[in-house]
Amino acid sequence: MAKLTEIAWEEFERLPLEAKRPYLENDAIPDTPYHTLFAQQFDRGLLERLAALANRIRFMAKSKEGALYLKSLLPHKRAMLYFSQPSSRTFLSHLAACQILGLTTGSVRDAATSSEFKGESKEDSIRTFSSYFDMIIMRTPEKGLAEHMAWELSNSSRPIPILNAGSGKDQHPTQALLDIYTLLRSFETKGGLKDRTVTFCGDLLRGRTVRSLSYLLTNFDNIRQVFVAPQQLQVPTDVLEILDAKGVKYEVSDDLRAAVKISDAVYMTRIQDEWDQSKGESARIDTHLFKFGAEELKLLPKDGIIMHPLPRRDEIATCCDHDPRAMYWRQMRNGMWIRSALIAMTFGFEKQIMCFGA
Ligand code: CP
């Protein structure tokens, strides 16, 4: 069980993110996450262990023998997918990850179909899920809710781990894990993930994937970050303050083509108009210079890659899809492997999988 029980919610909530890390680890398995709530929980060593485990699972899943072994690991565990915000990739890749590892699953995809509709509190809903399941994978529009629910469960008589599958505009840690895994794989035979320039483009203000990935990249040596967006959607200052504190080089720009020319990875994002404060707010912003098309493809270095957390609208032209540097489809599939690795690690099966066939 995690150590959240040692601290009151009001006190825990106020802790700086780095100080929260020890409270989220698994007491029984050293250096292993229990609740996964923030990108800040993952240091370089843990990221590399997860990537190695994801590689291992990916190769094992190709053979019947390996797939059956993986499926035999967690048939005694059940996962609840509680998604009160729309999702395709995050929901399905977690579901597929559970299937790979033999977990059975249940889901609520709309709070209006659960007893929350009848006025049940979030706390009571989560306690209900924990009565039937051994892990909760949750997506919510509310900032900090996954963290609060983790604290609730750790103080209950049936604590179970929570994986944050996207909370408000602040965190999407498992997306950042699959993004890092994609970067590690893409540069594996080309000098590794160091001395690189990563450009983020689009809605950097409200995109939670950018916030989480920007932080995770600080774990790697000499990664310069470039933030390209219309002024109204530029990266928030708290993200830049973290980079300043860590001595990471960055640039804030409105020139996508200049950034593409010097980028090893261009991470495009959608305009997140679901967060608009007033009707048509995003539509009034001129975004035409913040799209990746045939011209940008010509400027991208030959070993550069294009990423996108997806879903996309028109920020990457479909003419780019068949270019070998378009990594977003593989990136999406990587989500299934890294989420399998995270679930296996959370339940203590890292060593067993890594030793398979040894
Ligand atoms: N990247 C991502 O979170 O996609 P979904 O909203 O489809 O889950």
Side-chain angles (χ1 to χ4, degrees):
M1 190 178 80
K3 299 175 212 165
L4 284 172
T5 45
E6 292 171 6
I7 190 164
W9 166 244
E10 291 72 20
E11 197 184 333
F12 179 75
E13 189 186 20
R14 283 198 300 272
L15 284 177
L17 281 173
E18 189 54 34
K20 289 179 180 177
R21 187 206 292 244
Y23 294 102
L24 306 173
E25 289 177 357
N26 194 321
D27 277 354
I29 318 162
D31 304 318
T32 301
Y34 183 81
H35 300 295
T36 291
L37 304 177
F38 317 109
Q40 287 84 339
Q41 285 173 254
F42 296 86
D43 59 19
R44 171 107 180 237
L46 188 49
L47 291 170
E48 287 176 350
R49 272 169 55 207
L50 272 169
L53 188 56
N55 280 340
R56 190 85 186 131
I57 292 171
R58 183 161 55 86
F59 284 110
M60 285 169 72
K62 288 182 207 291
S63 73
K64 189 170 177 183
E65 186 197 9
L68 286 173
Y69 179 79
L70 288 169
K71 226 173 165 42
S72 75
L73 294 177
L74 286 161
H76 55 306
K77 298 289 181 188
R78 292 178 296 277
M80 174 67 190
L81 291 112
Y82 172 45
F83 278 57
S84 58
Q85 232 189 352
S87 166
S88 294
R89 279 145 285 272
T90 313
F91 180 86
L92 290 172
S93 60
H94 274 109
L95 181 67
C98 289
Q99 289 168 345
I100 288 168
L101 296 166
L103 287 100
T104 41
T105 55
S107 65
V108 166
R109 301 206 63 179
D110 180 353
T113 65
S114 81
S115 282
E116 273 184 58
F117 190 69
K118 295 182 247 172
E120 186 169 53
S121 68
K122 296 250 183 322
E123 287 86 343
D124 285 2
S125 289
I126 292 286
R127 288 289 299 264
T128 304
F129 300 151
S130 77
S131 299
Y132 307 131
F133 294 93
D134 304 290
M135 165 179 273
I136 296 172
I137 301 163
M138 67 182 282
R139 167 170 288 195
T140 158
E142 286 170 60
K143 180 175 191 253
L145 185 67
E147 180 186 351
H148 193 176
M149 293 304 112
W151 180 86
E152 281 287 336
L153 286 183
S154 283
N155 284 297
S156 76
S157 54
R158 207 183 127 67
I160 61 171
I162 286 194
L163 304 190
N164 179 358
S167 58
K169 288 175 266 184
D170 57 326
Q171 284 275 349
H172 197 346
T174 66
Q175 174 73 43
L177 294 177
L178 78 88
D179 294 338
I180 287 289
Y181 183 49
T182 301
L183 287 160
L184 287 169
R185 286 190 67 194
S186 299
F187 299 122
E188 192 174 13
T189 57
K190 296 172 184 162
L193 183 50
K194 62 176 181 343
D195 308 324
R196 302 279 174 190
T197 297
V198 177
T199 291
F200 295 94
C201 178
D203 188 343
L204 310 185
L205 179 66
R206 302 174 292 188
R208 56 194 174 197
T209 65
V210 171
R211 178 180 291 274
S212 292
L213 179 56
S214 171
Y215 183 86
L216 278 197
L217 283 170
T218 66
N219 286 292
F220 296 85
D221 296 335
N222 195 25
I223 305 293
R224 182 166 171 246
Q225 302 188 24
V226 183
F227 300 97
V228 181
Q231 181 245 325
Q232 301 94 317
L233 300 175
Q234 253 307 352
V235 67
T237 50
D238 66 303
V239 173
L240 300 181
E241 280 163 15
I242 290 172
L243 301 184
D244 284 331
K246 289 180 166 279
V248 172
K249 290 188 211 133
Y250 65 83
E251 190 187 326
V252 177
S253 161
D254 59 4
D255 189 342
L256 177 59
R257 289 189 180 172
V260 167
K261 282 184 205 163
I262 55 156
S263 290
D264 297 289
V266 179
Y267 191 98
M268 298 299 297
T269 62
R270 174 178 66 83
I271 304 301
Q272 310 246 324
D273 50 14
E274 64 269 37
W275 299 109
D276 278 1
Q277 304 280 339
S278 61
K279 197 168 163 46
E281 184 186 338
S282 294
R284 287 191 288 277
I285 300 171
D286 183 359
T287 55
H288 82 279
L289 291 174
F290 305 94
K291 298 180 198 295
F292 197 105
E295 287 308 308
E296 287 71 24
L297 200 55
K298 283 184 207 155
L299 299 174
L300 186 68
K302 81 171 170 40
D303 287 335
I305 60 169
I306 315 159
M307 299 173 70
H308 195 308
L310 302 177
R312 75 170 154 186
R313 289 180 185 159
D314 62 352
E315 57 278 356
I316 301 180
T318 51
C319 67
C320 302
D321 288 2
H322 297 293
D323 190 282
R325 295 167 292 178
M327 207 50 66
Y328 28 96
W329 305 120
R330 197 173 296 173
Q331 179 185 355
M332 181 164 70
R333 190 165 163 81
N334 282 338
M336 179 172 71
W337 303 126
I338 204 78
R339 285 166 174 144
S340 300
L342 179 64
I343 293 169
M345 190 184 267
T346 302
F347 283 117
F349 282 88
E350 179 187 11
K351 276 202 185 114
Q352 212 166 312
I353 294 172
M354 292 307 282
C355 290
F356 175 75

